[in-house]
Amino acid sequence: MPIVREFARLTVEPTPPSLDHATIAPSAFHWLAEHGSGGPSSPGIVRLEDPRTLRVLNYVGVVETPCGTQIEILPKYTQSGDEIEGARRLLVSMVMEALRLKPRHGAMSEISAFQLPLPEWLASRFLQEASDLIHRGLRQSYQRVQAREPLLRGALDVVRQIRSGPASAHLLSFQHDIFTFDRPENRLLRSAIELILRSTRVSNNWRLARELSTTMADIPETTDLRTDLRRWSKDRLMADYSTIRTLCELILLGRTPFAISGAHRGLSMLLPMERLFELYVLASLRKAAPSSMEIRAQLGDRHLCEHEGDVWFRLRPDMMVSDGARSWILDTKWKLLSSNRARQYELSQSDFYQLFAYGQKYLGGAGDLFLVYPRTETFFEPLAPFHFSPQLRLHVLPFDLLRREAPYPFLPCK
């Protein structure tokens, strides 16, 4: 399986394998060129550079083409080195934070010796959670059924009985309730288990999926995936199901809520690094901030302008932090900065325009804004503040991906 990282080149020409270059089969190349370049309703995962070369965009995970070629894409978090194990470990850590998955006993040793691509690892996590849930006991619910039998059970259905006619007068039409495991949550679990059983290439996953499939054999698979997902109960009696819901949705849809959709085989899954990094920073900030601070994500209650009584162009910063007296705006960018001041540290002018608009609309033109980038060997300390005005300042901060922290000046000192 070719293993590359973001922005690597895929080609049909023979090339020495590395995280930045890989050779793939012509059939896989043509499928990616046709279906992976995106369209009006879906973003692209590759870009065609020339007739024999594709450039991978900023998505991570695993994609499988119809010919069976699997391509694993890892995050590019350093400018140099081909450290596959470290990139995989970082990716798993970011996904666990983003999806709020709690580490299991022995999970870190599994990650440190990571030999599974992301979808197979998530399938393993799902199967373990499902196994624990079954051992604790699946939830049952009452289900109303209708029947026609010689003996009455439950409530007589008078209307159906009258309509049945004299030819079947010896049968009684009635309704009654049964206590059953056939409920939306269990149907979805069974469907996810069956999908893994059909798709996994890891023997341990197949073995556990087979065991769970046999245990849940009396529960049917879902016939309406999205309806059953909407009907997934969130009451306190279903607290045991709260962790597995995200994993179940991820397995069945082949994506997380922040992943692209696509007709990929097997356990293919691709996540946009921009969104994954944003959720990683958000989760880490919530752990580091004191409880007195309020952290809100993905605000959208301000707009850039008004036109004939209508508001236009919603402004949606990634995070807003408030301690009651002051507020700060944070925006994350998955991009590797440089130390070259002559090249403006590789900063984007459009990002500065965006933060300036946030400062005007959310902070009233006075306060502090923060752009958070991954920490690298060339960007390891905050840049000097950028002044939009004497009252409005922008700070560019490095986020340590391994220690999960950044030098936020608004947080109390440890």
Side-chain angles (χ1 to χ4, degrees), residues 22 57-58 152 161 205 253 273 282 285 376 383 400:
L57 301 183
N58 60 331
L152 179 65
Q161 184 66 30
N205 284 352
L253 297 180
M273 275 305 302
L282 175 62
L285 180 59
T376 65
L383 301 179
D400 192 318

Side-chain angles (χ1 to χ4, degrees), residues 147-151 156 159-174:
R148 287 175 56 78
E149 297 178 7
L151 300 178
L156 181 67
V159 175
R160 288 179 60 226
Q161 184 66 30
I162 294 174
R163 289 177 177 173
S164 62
S168 56
H170 63 291
L171 298 177
L172 298 174
S173 300
F174 58 89

Side-chain angles (χ1 to χ4, degrees), residues 239-303:
D240 284 351
Y241 283 68
S242 59
T243 300
I244 203 171
R245 185 191 191 283
T246 301
L247 290 168
C248 186
E249 184 175 3
L250 185 152
I251 297 296
L252 289 175
L253 297 180
R255 60 183 179 88
T256 62
F258 49 86
I260 68 166
S261 60
H264 305 303
R265 290 181 44 185
L267 295 177
S268 300
M269 189 178 304
L270 290 171
L271 316 177
M273 275 305 302
E274 282 282 355
R275 181 69 171 139
L276 193 57
F277 180 56
E278 175 192 332
L279 292 173
Y280 190 55
V281 172
L282 175 62
S284 303
L285 180 59
R286 281 178 168 157
K287 287 184 179 179
S291 58
S292 58
M293 280 189 166
E294 181 185 14
I295 302 174
R296 292 185 290 165
Q298 287 288 318
L299 301 174
D301 55 348
R302 308 290 170 86
H303 294 76

Side-chain angles (χ1 to χ4, degrees), residues 34-279:
E34 181 178 357
H35 298 280
S37 301
S41 59
S42 63
I45 60 174
V46 295
R47 183 178 68 243
L48 186 66
E49 287 202 337
D50 62 56
R52 304 183 72 80
T53 305
L54 292 170
R55 169 83 75 167
V56 176
L57 301 183
N58 60 331
Y59 285 84
V60 293
V62 171
V63 60
E64 183 173 355
T65 64
C67 66
T69 299
Q70 279 192 339
I71 303 169
E72 183 176 1
I73 307 171
L74 299 174
K76 183 176 182 179
Y77 68 104
T78 179
Q79 296 284 8
S80 59
D82 282 3
E83 190 185 355
I84 295 176
E85 186 178 305
R88 280 175 169 164
R89 192 181 304 117
L90 172 63
L91 177 57
V92 168
S93 178
M94 296 180 76
V95 170
M96 289 181 66
E97 287 282 6
L99 299 181
R100 302 180 183 179
L101 300 179
K102 295 180 181 179
R104 296 179 57 89
H105 177 69
M108 294 316 294
S109 62
E110 177 185 326
I111 295 170
S112 62
F114 206 129
Q115 298 178 354
L116 301 179
L118 177 66
E120 293 284 6
W121 181 82
L122 286 169
S124 175
R125 282 298 305 264
F126 169 80
L127 293 172
Q128 290 295 333
E129 294 286 350
S131 178
D132 290 349
L133 182 61
I134 290 173
H135 289 150
R136 292 194 301 267
L138 297 175
R139 291 291 181 268
Q140 294 176 269
S141 61
Y142 285 101
Q143 181 178 332
R144 177 62 57 89
V145 297
Q146 296 179 342
R148 287 175 56 78
E149 297 178 7
L151 300 178
L152 179 65
R153 288 185 295 166
L156 181 67
D157 191 335
V158 178
V159 175
R160 288 179 60 226
Q161 184 66 30
I162 294 174
R163 289 177 177 173
S164 62
S168 56
H170 63 291
L171 298 177
L172 298 174
S173 300
F174 58 89
Q175 298 178 350
H176 68 108
D177 294 330
I178 59 173
F179 201 46
T180 177
F181 289 107
D182 185 6
R183 54 180 297 162
E185 300 85 355
N186 294 335
R187 290 195 296 269
L188 291 168
L189 293 182
R190 172 74 191 283
S191 296
I193 290 169
E194 294 300 325
L195 176 59
I196 294 172
L197 185 60
R198 294 191 299 267
S199 307
T200 186
R201 298 184 177 185
V202 176
S203 59
N204 289 339
N205 284 352
W206 185 89
R207 194 176 300 112
L208 183 53
R210 183 66 180 173
E211 177 185 328
L212 298 179
S213 175
T214 302
T215 303
M216 301 183 69
D218 293 335
I219 301 174
E221 294 187 51
T222 182
T223 57
D224 191 338
L225 173 60
R226 299 191 181 276
T227 298
D228 277 350
L229 283 171
R230 287 195 299 269
R231 293 172 58 193
W232 188 297
S233 176
K234 298 180 181 179
D235 63 39
R236 61 183 181 180
L237 296 178
M238 298 295 292
D240 284 351
Y241 283 68
S242 59
T243 300
I244 203 171
R245 185 191 191 283
T246 301
L247 290 168
C248 186
E249 184 175 3
L250 185 152
I251 297 296
L252 289 175
L253 297 180
R255 60 183 179 88
T256 62
F258 49 86
I260 68 166
S261 60
H264 305 303
R265 290 181 44 185
L267 295 177
S268 300
M269 189 178 304
L270 290 171
L271 316 177
M273 275 305 302
E274 282 282 355
R275 181 69 171 139
L276 193 57
F277 180 56
E278 175 192 332
L279 292 173

